[in-house]
Every structure is written in C-alpha cells, then in structure tokens.
Amino acid sequence: MSEKTSDAVTKKDVRKAAIRYMFMACNTFNYENQQAPAVVYGLSKVLRKIHKKDEDYKASLNNHFNYFNTTTWMANLLLGASVAMEEKDGIKSKDAVQAFKTGMMGPLAGIGDTLVWVLYPTIMGSIAGYMGLQGNPTGAIIWLLLNVFFFFFRVELFDLGHTSGLKLITALGDKLNVFTEAASIMGLTVIGALIPSVVKMTIPIAFKTGKVSLPIQTEILDKIMPALLPAVLTFVVYKLLASKKFSVTQIIFMVIGLALVCSFFGILGV
C-alpha cells in the first residue's frame, strides 16, 4: 500500500492562507528577504497538507524564505499559483516555484504599484478630501466601503491564482499592461479636474493708471488659462516630489510658508 503524500487542498485552506499572508505581509517586512517571512507564515499550514514528509515540508518552507517582494495585492495571485504548483508536483516543483515567483514578482509589482499604491488612493483620497471640504462625509464612507470590498477581492485573487495558476498570469500579462496604462490616464484626468476645485490661489493685485484699473487675475491670468496659478503650483510641487530632494513634510511647510508671506504682503489671495 503506497504512502499518502498529501491531503487535498480545499478552498477553505486557500482562503486561510490568503488571510494569513495579508495580515503579515508588511508586519514582518525586512531588508534581507523582505516579504518572505510573511509568505512562509501565510503558506505554512497549507504546505503542511501538501508535504507530509517533514524533510519535504522543511525544504518547501526554506524555499519560500528566499527573497520575495511585490505589491501585496498582486502577491496573492503568485502565491495561489505557487500552492497549485506544489500541490501538483510536490517538492519536485521547488525550483520551478522559486523561478516563477522571481520572474513574475517584478512585472506584477509594476502593475500593482501603479493601480494600488498610486491611482487608487490618489483618486479616492482626492474625491473624499474634496467632499470633506464641503462638509460631506460620503467620499470617506465610500473609500472605507471600497477597502472592505477589496479585502474580500484580494482573497479571491489568491483563489484565482490557485485555480488558474500559471496560465492566467502569463496569458493576461500584455492585457494587464494595457489596463494599467488606461487606468493611469483616467487617474491623471481626475486629478487634473480636481486641481481648480481644491487648490485656491489668486493674485488680488491690479495695475492702475488714472481711472483705468487692470486686475492681473481676471484680465490677464484667467484670459491665458483659468486656474493657471493652481496648475502651476501643482506642477511645482510635483517636480519637487519627483526630485526626491525634499520630503512631503518639507514641501507642505514650504507651501504654508509661501502662502503666509505672500498673503501678508497682499501678493496672493483666495
């Protein structure tokens, strides 16, 4: 009678692994192997079902202790597929699993960082912030509800990676890049539309010659482009951030200082 080498991995096992990884992904982050401890913690129980031999189980855990770093959302796809590979081929898939994770974590990080860490908080934060300035909490409530929704969505991504595995990630690679570019354009459009509504900056000075008065803001700047000053200020702040010579806190204090000085001398108004 042959020895049973593994138990069947259930959907419940996969979802538990997803939740375990998600709660530890950033808590055990380090500069040696980055997210690897979280991966081991997340997958340890499901790998125990796959590898019944202690030697195989230890080898699998040690393999997952190798360097791993990608956007935590996209990691669910990779880890789900890794579990499927080990479930199918056992410890013999160890090298293939590591090569797969190493090869795909970079491209998926590029997609995930753009969508998750840049566009989503920028768009939702801007909308929620603008609505908050109007005394309307709806934007913040929607943002909170979206975060709850995305928690369950991330669990489903892990399950999707487990069921579809390599085929899904490699086949959708080019399409995901197109979607990322489209989402970037949409995000830039939303932020551009919010600039004149959120950033208030005008020049109250007017040139006077005899009885003739020429307001700089309404008769010159607004004729060139409405909300020109807010757009220029946003561009300058963006360039300062992109230069990486100043922190966000330093730039905030610089803007506050500029506003106080120019307001005191009557150069800027709202």
Side-chain angles (χ1 to χ4, degrees):
M1 189 176 192
S2 61
E3 180 184 357
K4 189 176 182 180
T5 57
S6 68
D7 291 333
V9 174
T10 66
K11 198 164 192 174
K12 184 177 180 181
D13 296 326
V14 172
R15 290 181 172 176
K16 279 185 177 179
I19 293 172
R20 283 167 63 88
Y21 165 73
M22 286 158 54
F23 275 110
M24 295 301 292
C26 297
N27 292 333
T28 57
F29 187 89
N30 66 86
Y31 289 100
E32 181 180 355
N33 48 13
Q34 305 216 346
Q35 295 178 29
V39 173
V40 172
Y41 176 79
L43 302 185
S44 59
K45 290 186 179 297
V46 71
L47 292 177
R48 177 78 272 190
K49 292 192 70 172
I50 294 172
H51 304 291
K52 288 300 182 182
K53 294 182 179 179
D54 290 343
E55 295 78 10
D56 292 349
Y57 180 55
K58 292 176 183 177
S60 176
L61 292 181
N62 285 332
N63 188 50
H64 284 292
F65 263 121
N66 288 318
Y67 179 90
F68 181 78
N69 186 39
T70 190
T71 310
T72 52
W73 290 40
M74 308 307 293
N76 287 12
L77 276 173
L78 286 181
L79 298 181
S82 298
V83 169
M85 293 169 68
E86 295 200 43
E87 187 180 11
K88 179 182 177 183
D89 297 324
I91 197 61
K92 292 184 295 183
S93 66
K94 182 180 70 170
D95 293 337
V97 166
Q98 182 59 27
F100 170 66
K101 286 164 59 184
T102 303
M104 293 304 301
M105 64 184 181
L108 287 180
I111 297 169
D113 287 350
T114 301
L115 294 178
V116 178
W117 297 133
V118 178
L119 290 179
Y120 172 59
T122 301
I123 293 173
M124 287 308 305
S126 300
I127 293 174
Y130 176 67
M131 295 180 76
L133 289 174
Q134 311 302 314
N136 187 347
T138 304
I141 293 172
I142 293 174
W143 195 0
L144 176 62
L145 293 176
L146 280 175
N147 285 335
V148 174
F149 166 77
F150 282 129
F151 171 83
F152 294 101
F153 176 72
R154 291 170 65 186
V155 174
E156 290 301 319
L157 279 181
F158 201 106
D159 189 48
L160 186 62
H162 179 251
T163 54
S164 300
L166 301 171
K167 187 189 338 184
L168 171 75
I169 299 173
T170 54
L172 292 183
D174 294 336
K175 296 179 181 178
L176 285 174
N177 288 330
V178 173
F179 175 73
T180 302
E181 185 175 354
S184 300
I185 295 172
M186 181 188 71
L188 291 173
T189 303
V190 171
I191 298 305
L194 284 171
I195 290 172
S197 302
V198 176
V199 183
K200 304 296 183 181
M201 185 178 181
T202 62
I203 296 180
I205 300 174
F207 289 118
K208 292 184 179 180
T209 303
K211 296 182 179 180
V212 178
S213 178
L214 181 65
I216 295 177
Q217 183 65 48
T218 56
E219 296 298 327
I220 299 178
L221 297 180
D222 288 348
K223 300 293 185 183
I224 298 173
M225 187 182 84
L228 176 62
L229 289 179
V232 170
L233 178 62
T234 303
F235 177 76
V236 171
V237 170
Y238 170 78
K239 296 301 288 185
L240 289 174
L241 288 170
S243 70
K244 297 184 179 179
K245 295 180 180 179
F246 302 95
S247 67
V248 174
T249 304
Q250 288 174 320
I251 294 174
I252 289 173
F253 280 111
M254 289 167 60
V255 172
I256 293 174
L258 176 68
L260 290 175
V261 172
C262 292
S263 177
F264 178 78
F265 289 105
I267 301 173
L268 293 178
V270 293

